[in-house]
Each structure stands twice: as structure tokens, then as C-alpha cells.
């Protein structure tokens, strides 16, 4: 990919789109918002015992309070990303962050299950498209050689945010009641949203090489965009594989505190802290596997896909043994932690693969397609499926069955390897430029 910087100093920065300070500032701000996004999303997990006791809810209903966000994010991600790709990524992110933060705060005023469900759905409306738009921005500002590593680090933010959300939820609920937790975690996103106005965007890229072509209608533009994505077969297989693996991840993150509370006799607060250890290990592993897989496959990038396949199978074996075997007590928990180290392996690498094969002019939209699959067929399925299986056969059996989805993920990734080289070659000569800041004068480094 040829990168054309419009900063005088950027030429010495080895194919960063603009100066390194500006690029890393954009990364830090996008990471911070994703971090608080998942605090807001996952804080409810440690509150399950309190909500179940107060409102007498089933496990299926509790799971739906997590899954509704993923459903809304998946359903709305593509329209939001289409707008962001054409109108600008930074402005879109600012609006989304303000919306989800205010919606999180509103959850503390819910008086029953229906009201809380609606408030959580609005949180999802705010988060719609954030991950995909953020991925498009980061992957374009950074050089391609760093893509898997930087996106792996970026996708450590959901795990870290989930850790803090679970821990804070348990601590706040124990002291001030479970509703107060929503008010505490919702405020920081509002502050970060305003600071995000200082982030540099990149100029929207035309899909067709001929800049003198006649303007297209909305229908023709959409047909061109989705035709481009549909021809990118690697993206479709990666979407399927990523979704299958995330069923396991979301089920474990959502139900592990309840499992430790029911089967290990821990208090809700202690269970939340123990579960947070597993999620924290997942946060580290997300960055770890992004760096390791990226470096091992630098000469043959398509080998990222079989590497992910192997890691998914390892996850399945460990977690099935942990919940389906005879292990108990500390030994079982150690196996769960080990499984947590492998199960979050795909997130950053998958995003990097998607950006390798998606045209820069539709990267937000392509990432939204990935997000749609991950949220609707992965993150949304895990909590509810585990809840349904738990209502039928018990929570331990449910958590022993869910990891088998990793076998499907492994198959999809191997199939996707066959089309990677052709898809990546198709966009290898696209040129990019950095855009000015929103008001044309604010900057975090050299003026454009």
C-alpha cells in the first residue's frame, strides 16, 4: 500500500500516515474509549446475583441484558459505518461515545426488568459501529507491518474494561447498591468524547480509481460498496470463524461470576474479583497473540489463519476439560485461567486480517460487517445460549458444551486461508492521505 503523508515530518516515520505522536495519540484515545465502552457494557455481569434476587429473573433473562447490546450493535453497525466512511470517523465516534455514556447512567433509574432491558438496548445504540470505526481509523493510521500488533493491543481494551467493570460492579453494589454502579461508570465516557475531537482522521478514499466519473446515486453507491465486500471471500470466512470463537468468550465472561458464586460458594463480590482474573489474562493474551502471530507470519501473512485455527482448538480442549471433567476447586480454576489465556486469541488478529483485505474506502463498513457477525452471531449468542442451556441442564454443563464452538472456528479459519493472497493483492496499490482536524486548526502535533 502506498501511503502519502501530508505532514512534512511524516516522511521519516516509515509509512505512518501522519506523525508518530499524532498516530499514537489517536490510538490512546480510541483505546481509552473502548476501555470505558466495555466497563459500561460488562458492569452488569457482577450485578446478576443482586438483580436475580431482587426481581426474581431467570438465567435467560439475565443473559438477555448482556446480549441485547450485541444484537443492537450488530444490527446498526453497518449503517453507522457507511456514514462514518463517507462523513468522517472522528465525528461519528464522538457522537456514539456521548450516547452510550448517557444511556449507561440512565440504567440506574430502571424500576423493573423491561425498563433496564430498554436502557441497555440504548447503550447498544450508542456503541453501534464504534469498534468497526475505531479499527478502520487505527489500521489506516499505522503501517501495515504493525497492524496485527496494534489491533491486538487495541482489542485488549474490551477485556481490561470488562475486568474493571466486573470488579467495580461488585464493589459498588456491596456498598451502595447495584443501581449506583451504572451511574459511577457512565461519566468518564462523556469526558473522553470531548477530548476525542483532537484526534486526526484520514481522508475518505474513492472506491473507483477514476476521480472524474459521474456521481453515483445512493443505491449505486451501496451496490458498489457491498459488491466490493462480497467479493472479499476472506472477510466472510473470517467473520464466521471470529463469531464462533466469541460465543465461548462471551459466555465465559458473562457467566463465570455466577458459576463461582453457585458452585464455589463465593460471595458475589469475591466471585466478581476471581472472574476478573480470567478476563485480565484474556486482555494480556489478546495483545500477546496479536504480537506473536503477527511476527511469526510476517513473511507469509496468510498463515495467520491456520495459526488462529490451532489456538481455537487448544481453547476447546482446555475449557471442555475444565468444566466437563472431574476437576474441582483450585485445579479447576487454574484450568479456566489457562483457557482464558487462549480463548481471546482471535480478536486482534482477526481485525488485522480483515483490514489486510478490505479496500480503504470501505474499511469502516467492512469492519462493521465483521462487527455484525461478531456481535449478533458471537457475543449475543454466548450469554443467552449459556443461559438457556443452564435452565435446562445446569450452568456447569452449559459451560462445558459452549467451548465446542471453537472447533467450528478452526474450520472456518483454515478455509479462509485459500483466498487471502488474492484478496490482499487486489488493494495493494491504494493511496491514502491524512485529513485535517475537525476545525482545521486544532492539532496534537504539526499542523496539516
Amino acid at each position: 500500500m502506498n501511503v502519502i503523508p501530508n505532514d512534512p515530518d511524516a516522511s521519516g516515520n516509515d509509512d505512518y500516515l501522519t506523525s508518530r505522536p499524532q498516530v499514537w495519540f489517536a490510538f490512546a484515545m480510541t483505546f481509552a474509549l473502548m476501555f470505558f465502552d466495555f466497563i459500561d457494557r460488562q458492569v452488569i455481569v457482577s450485578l446478576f446475583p443482586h438483580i436475580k434476587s431482587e426481581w426474581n429473573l431467570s438465567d435467560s433473562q439475565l443473559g438477555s441484558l448482556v446480549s441485547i447490546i450485541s444484537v443492537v450493535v450488530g444490527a446498526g453497525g453497518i449503517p453507522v459505518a457507511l456514514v462514518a466512511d463517507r462523513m468522517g470517523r472522528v465525528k461519528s465516534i464522538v457522537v456514539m461515545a456521548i450516547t452510550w455514556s448517557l444511556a449507561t447512567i440512565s440504567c440506574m433509574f430502571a424500576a423493573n426488568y423491561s425498563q433496564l432491558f430498554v436502557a441497555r438496548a440504548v447503550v447498544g445504540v450508542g456503541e453501534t459501529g464504534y469498534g468497526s470505526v475505531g479499527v478502520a481509523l487505527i489500521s489506516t493510521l499505522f503501517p501495515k507491518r504493525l497492524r496485527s500488533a496494534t489491533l491486538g493491543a487495541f482489542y485488549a481494551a474490551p477485556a481490561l474494561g470488562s475486568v474493571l467493570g466486573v470488579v467495580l460492579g461488585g464493589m459498588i453494589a456491596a456498598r451502595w447498591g447495584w443501581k449506583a454502579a451504572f451511574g459511577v461508570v457512565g461519566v468518564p465516557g462523556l469526558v473522553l468524547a470531548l477530548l476525542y475531537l483532537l484526534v486526526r482522521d484520514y481522508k475518505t478514499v474513492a472506491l473507483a480509481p477514476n476521480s472524474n466519473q459521474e456521481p453515483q446515486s445512493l443505491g449505486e453507491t451501496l451496490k458498489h460498496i457491498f459488491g466490493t465486500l462480497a467479493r472479499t471471500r476472506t472477510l466472510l470466512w473470517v467473520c464466521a470463524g471470529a463469531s464462533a470463537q466469541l460465543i465461548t468468550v462471551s459466555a465465559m465472561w458473562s457467566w463465570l461470576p455466577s458459576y463461582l458464586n453457585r458452585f464455589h460458594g463465593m460471595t458475589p463480590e469475591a466471585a466478581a474479583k476471581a472472574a476478573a482474573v480470567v478476563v485480565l489474562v484474556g486482555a494480556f493474551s489478546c495483545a500477546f497473540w496479536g504480537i506473536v502471530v503477527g511476527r511469526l507470519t510476517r513473511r507469509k501473512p496468510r498463515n495467520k489463519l491456520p495459526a488462529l485455527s490451532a489456538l481455537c482448538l487448544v481453547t476447546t480442549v482446555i475449557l471442555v476439560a475444565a468444566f466437563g471433567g472431574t476437576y474441582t476447586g483450585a485445579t479447576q480454576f487454574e484450568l479456566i485461567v489457562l483457557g482464558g489465556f487462549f480463548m481471546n486469541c482471535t480478536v486482534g488478529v482477526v481485525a488485522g486480517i480483515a483490514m489486510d483485505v478490505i479496500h480503504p474506502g470501505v474499511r469502516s463498513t467492512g469492519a462493521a460487517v465483521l462487527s455484525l457477525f461478531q456481535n449478533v452471531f458471537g457475543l449475543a449468542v454466548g450469554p443467552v445460549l449459556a443461559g438457556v442451556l443452564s435452565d435446562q441442564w445446569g450452568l456447569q454443563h452449559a459451560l462445558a458444551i459452549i467451548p465446542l464452538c471453537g472447533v467450528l472456528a478452526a474450520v472456518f479459519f483454515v478455509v479462509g486461508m485459500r483466498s487471502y493472497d488474492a484478496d490482499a493483492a487486489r488493494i495493494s496499490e491504494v493511496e491514502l492521505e491524512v485529513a485535517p482536524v475537525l476545525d482545521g486548526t486544532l492539532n496534537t502535533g504539526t499542523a496539516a
Side-chain angles (χ1 to χ4, degrees), residues 146-237:
L146 296 178
R147 190 168 287 159
S148 289
T150 53
L151 290 178
F154 173 63
Y155 275 115
L160 291 171
S162 297
V163 168
L164 189 56
V166 170
V167 171
L168 282 176
M171 293 174 61
I172 296 169
R175 288 159 178 78
W176 299 298
W178 62 268
K179 291 185 179 181
F182 295 111
V184 172
V185 302
V187 173
L190 297 175
V191 178
L192 288 171
L194 298 178
L195 292 175
Y196 206 87
L197 292 168
L198 297 173
V199 170
R200 297 295 296 272
D201 202 348
Y202 63 89
K203 291 182 179 179
T204 298
V205 182
L207 289 175
N210 182 8
S211 61
N212 296 320
Q213 65 180 357
E214 291 295 324
Q216 293 181 319
S217 67
L218 176 60
E220 291 172 330
T221 300
L222 293 177
K223 182 179 179 181
H224 194 170
I225 288 172
F226 288 107
T228 299
L229 294 175
R231 289 190 296 272
T232 310
R233 294 173 58 194
T234 307
L235 174 64
L236 304 180
W237 288 112

Side-chain angles (χ1 to χ4, degrees), residues 36-37 39-44 47 55 69 96-111 115-116 118-124 126-127 172 177-193:
F36 281 99
D37 173 2
I39 290 178
D40 293 357
R41 182 186 288 207
Q42 292 296 116
V43 67
I44 198 170
L47 308 180
W55 289 345
I69 292 182
M96 285 185 282
I98 291 173
T99 302
W100 88 58
S101 298
L102 292 175
T104 298
I105 295 171
S106 75
C107 290
M108 69 186 296
F109 302 107
Q115 291 179 10
L116 184 57
V118 171
R120 293 284 289 175
V122 178
V123 173
E127 295 179 5
I172 296 169
W178 62 268
K179 291 185 179 181
F182 295 111
V184 172
V185 302
V187 173
L190 297 175
V191 178
L192 288 171

Side-chain angles (χ1 to χ4, degrees), residues 254-399:
S254 297
W255 286 106
L256 191 55
S258 293
Y259 176 81
L260 296 174
N261 171 246
R262 298 179 194 180
F263 291 86
H264 288 249
M266 296 182 180
T267 65
E269 184 177 3
K273 291 179 180 179
V277 172
V278 178
V279 182
L280 185 62
V281 168
F284 169 76
S285 72
C286 184
F288 174 83
W289 291 118
I291 294 170
V292 169
V293 173
R295 288 189 175 180
L296 291 178
T297 60
R298 187 173 294 176
R299 292 183 180 275
K300 293 185 177 180
R302 71 173 183 173
N303 287 341
K304 296 174 187 176
L305 289 150
L308 291 182
S309 180
L311 292 170
C312 290
L313 292 176
V314 171
T315 302
T316 298
V317 171
I318 294 172
L319 291 179
V320 169
F323 291 101
T326 58
Y327 302 101
T328 58
T331 302
Q332 183 192 40
F333 186 72
E334 289 169 1
L335 277 174
I336 295 170
V337 171
L338 181 62
F341 178 73
F342 285 94
M343 73 178 179
N344 208 32
C345 62
T346 62
V347 181
V349 181
V350 158
I353 293 169
M355 294 302 102
D356 288 349
V357 299
I358 296 172
H359 190 286
V362 289
R363 274 193 177 148
S364 292
T365 307
V369 172
L370 176 61
S371 177
L372 168 65
F373 276 80
Q374 288 179 316
N375 278 280
V376 174
F377 302 110
L379 295 175
V381 172
V384 169
L385 179 58
V388 171
L389 294 175
S390 176
D391 286 338
Q392 294 294 320
W393 299 311
L395 186 55
Q396 179 151 345
H397 287 96
L399 296 182

